[in-house]
Amino acid sequence: MAGNNSGDNQLKRGAIGGIALVFLVIAAAAPLGASATNTPLIFMLGNGSAAAFDFLIIAVLLLLFSVGFTAMSTHITNAGAFYAYISMGLGKRFGTAAGFVAVAAYNLLSVYLVSAGGTFASSIIEMELGISIPWWVISLVFAAIILTFSYFGIEGGTKFLMVCLACEVAILAVVDLSVLIQDGPGAYPLDVFSLDMLFNGGVPGGIGLGVCFAFLCFIGFEATAIFGEETRNPRKIIPRATFAAVIVIGLVYSLSAWSITAAYNAMGTDVVTVAEIAYDSMYHDVAVMYCGDIVGHLFNWFLLISNFASWMAAHGMASRYLYSFSRANLLPKAMEKTNKAKSPFVACCVNMVIGLGISFIMALCGLDPYSEVGAICSSIAIVGIMLIELIVCIAVISYMRKHNSEPGFGHNVFQTTIAPILALIGMGYVLFLVLSNFSLLTGYEDVFVNVFIGGLMVIVGIIGYAIAIAKDKNGTLVDPVDIDVEEEIVEQGKEIGPGDFNIGMG
């Protein structure tokens, strides 16, 4: 099917290989940042030392989701990702409504990262150098760096993110290995993976918040499909990269949480007790105690890099949703323009203006950049992303029931039905847990405030559906299935190379 996007405004085809794509989406999850900030919350508010088990459970759940998600990716390549998949399964009206939710969610995620990134960086710079720099100044500097990478295309930015991720994983590995070598395998308690610890560890009913916070650490893994148009042989690479990203993220988080638990156990201290006293520094404290002051300083600087890398990756995701919706005539057409490097630079600038503008305005209104601006925007974004992931599960089942008997399909019943249903049930339960504990995410106790914040993405979806109906009635609603990038390459007579899952950038 011929696409609606002209050759002048297409993203750069085949710009990144499989390993680069894996690094890109794992960087979005920010392994070091998530480990150091979210895992202590599981220790303190969730099911305690069962945190390591929580991460494995969520990894399995997301692997089930990925079975159907990646099956869809073998039939269409589109930067709209969720928007395209839901349109395929449930029709372009539902797809458009879900797409508006995705656009809003990923751009609000950028607002959170503008605020959180600047706040964390300001704190770390003052701690390490004794220099006090306002968070908003650092955010502006970071924004300029990110836009510079964006202007020159996805290759350079991805290489930089690969370096950032290598630093993050390296520092976590050094700490984990130091604990293992100094305390021995016997320090690692096996009961953290028991059902008793899962359901009865930590605070009463802590499993709810445990799996909730664990799930939040994986946000971003689904970006493999968003970057599909710029990936070499996407219909083979995206499934491999998605499974690889979920497995690596799950193992990194789980092993890290297990090592921290082992370290404090060896000291004769329970992680729950430590988290209640020093949840914001317990990872750094272990790094210093087991590896020395130099590694402690590196830990802080790499934590800064982790938050920056996460913002940069999320910026790329949000920009491509803006580009995709502009290409489908659902947002101003200016955002579908690409520059000489085939970067959607106009959309990148719009995303950055949204991120900086909303965070600065909310801060000027007296809201704390991290505990209020960041908490509110991230909470809304999380609900939005989880909602559309649930709808994707339904779309997979619907689409495969209609088309699986056609040539080129032939997926098995586990891919088309069993895995999506299990993922739908599991992720639906996690969303229920998120909403049940929403006040802990937003920081507000007022029920009305939390209902309003939690319901914003539903309102966006309703508005999006109304827009879709209006455009469909006058014949201007674009079906993203008609913008199938890889099929366009085939029609133009260009050969799609073999699925070389390598580090190549172009």
Side-chain angles (χ1 to χ4, degrees):
M1 287 163 284
N4 292 339
N5 54 328
S6 67
D8 292 338
N9 289 322
Q10 292 175 350
L11 300 173
K12 186 171 182 179
R13 310 287 170 72
I16 57 175
I19 292 179
L21 181 61
V22 172
F23 272 69
L24 179 57
V25 297
I26 295 178
L32 179 57
S35 292
T37 58
N38 271 18
T39 305
L41 294 178
I42 299 176
F43 291 145
M44 179 172 63
L45 302 173
N47 46 357
S49 55
F53 199 8
D54 292 335
F55 287 121
L56 293 184
I57 290 171
I58 295 300
V60 171
L61 176 60
L62 294 179
L63 287 173
L64 288 171
F65 171 81
S66 299
V67 170
F69 176 67
T70 57
M72 295 289 276
S73 73
T74 63
H75 299 290
I76 187 170
T77 303
N78 188 295
F82 289 144
Y83 156 56
Y85 295 173
I86 294 171
S87 294
M88 290 168 68
L90 301 176
K92 57 185 179 181
R93 289 184 177 183
F94 277 108
T96 300
F100 272 108
V101 173
V103 169
Y106 282 104
N107 279 278
L108 282 172
L109 192 60
S110 295
V111 177
Y112 158 68
L113 291 165
V114 167
S115 304
T119 302
F120 276 117
S122 176
S123 176
I124 289 170
I125 290 172
E126 184 169 8
M127 184 189 309
E128 292 293 330
L129 302 178
I131 301 173
S132 179
I133 303 175
W135 72 271
W136 57 269
V137 173
I138 296 175
S139 290
L140 285 172
V141 173
F142 282 1
I145 296 171
I146 290 171
L147 282 177
T148 300
F149 275 115
S150 296
Y151 180 82
F152 290 105
I154 191 172
E155 299 100 323
T158 303
K159 290 177 181 176
F160 176 76
L161 288 175
M162 292 174 76
V163 174
C164 292
L165 182 61
C167 292
E168 294 182 56
V169 175
I171 198 73
L172 286 172
V174 166
V175 174
D176 291 350
L177 287 172
S178 296
V179 173
L180 177 62
I181 292 170
Q182 294 180 44
D183 292 334
Y188 284 73
L190 295 177
D191 65 346
V192 301
F193 300 107
S194 69
L195 292 178
D196 180 61
M197 186 66 72
L198 180 69
F199 289 99
N200 301 313
V203 301
I207 182 176
L209 279 176
V211 297
C212 171
F213 283 116
F215 186 91
L216 304 186
C217 294
F218 285 81
I219 294 293
F221 84 95
E222 71 286 348
T224 49
I226 298 175
F227 296 102
E229 293 187 26
E230 296 154 283
T231 302
R232 186 163 42 250
N233 199 359
R235 297 191 184 183
K236 288 186 178 180
I237 292 296
I238 289 175
R240 299 174 187 176
T242 304
F243 288 117
V246 173
I247 291 170
V248 171
I249 292 172
L251 289 176
V252 168
Y253 287 150
S254 184
L255 290 172
S256 180
W258 197 16
S259 292
I260 294 297
T261 302
Y264 284 108
N265 279 359
M267 299 177 209
T269 310
D270 182 63
V271 286
V272 177
T273 304
V274 176
E276 291 172 348
I277 299 171
Y279 75 92
D280 57 344
S281 64
M282 61 187 301
Y283 264 71
H284 176 265
D285 293 344
V286 169
V288 173
M289 286 186 286
Y290 279 81
C291 307
D293 290 337
I294 293 178
V295 171
H297 292 302
L298 287 175
F299 187 95
N300 281 334
W301 288 114
F302 288 172
L303 181 58
L304 183 155
I305 289 172
S306 177
N307 285 290
F308 174 78
S310 181
W311 177 6
M312 186 170 170
H315 164 76
M317 293 151 60
S319 300
R320 278 151 184 80
Y321 262 110
L322 291 171
Y323 163 83
S324 176
F325 254 47
S326 174
R327 184 173 61 184
N329 299 316
L330 292 165
L331 288 175
K333 294 293 287 182
M335 285 187 286
E336 77 166 340
K337 295 184 181 299
T338 56
N339 61 14
K340 292 181 180 180
K342 293 298 179 183
S343 164
F345 190 64
V346 176
C348 292
C349 292
V350 171
N351 167 256
M352 195 59 74
V353 169
I354 291 172
L356 293 172
I358 293 178
S359 60
F360 287 0
I361 290 171
M362 292 177 74
L364 287 172
C365 291
L367 298 179
D368 181 81
Y370 178 66
S371 64
E372 293 180 297
V373 177
I376 292 170
C377 292
S378 63
S379 299
I380 299 171
I382 287 162
V383 170
I385 293 172
M386 294 184 73
L387 275 174
I388 52 181
E389 287 177 347
L390 288 175
I391 299 172
V392 166
C393 293
I394 300 172
V396 170
I397 297 169
S398 174
Y399 182 75
M400 292 302 176
R401 280 183 177 272
K402 296 175 185 175
H403 300 283
N404 202 40
S405 60
E406 298 174 5
F409 284 78
H411 299 286
N412 59 54
V413 68
F414 184 73
Q415 294 174 294
T416 63
T417 307
I418 297 175
I421 288 176
L422 292 175
L424 179 64
I425 295 170
M427 295 173 77
Y429 177 63
V430 174
L431 178 58
F432 167 75
L433 294 174
V434 168
L435 295 176
S436 299
N437 298 280
F438 208 54
S439 61
L440 289 172
L441 298 179
T442 64
Y444 291 96
E445 294 294 335
D446 189 277
V447 174
F448 175 78
V449 172
N450 285 310
V451 169
F452 175 73
I453 294 174
L456 278 176
M457 286 291 99
V458 176
I459 296 172
V460 170
I462 293 171
I463 294 172
Y465 191 73
I467 293 172
I469 290 174
K471 288 183 127 337
D472 200 15
K473 286 183 176 179
N474 62 28
T476 59
L477 183 62
V478 173
D479 191 335
V481 177
D482 293 332
I483 309 176
D484 186 352
V485 175
E486 191 173 20
E487 191 166 337
E488 284 183 6
I489 297 175
V490 175
E491 288 177 357
Q492 293 165 11
K494 297 180 181 179
E495 180 182 353
I496 303 172
D500 53 335
F501 194 75
N502 60 33
I503 201 169
M505 293 291 170

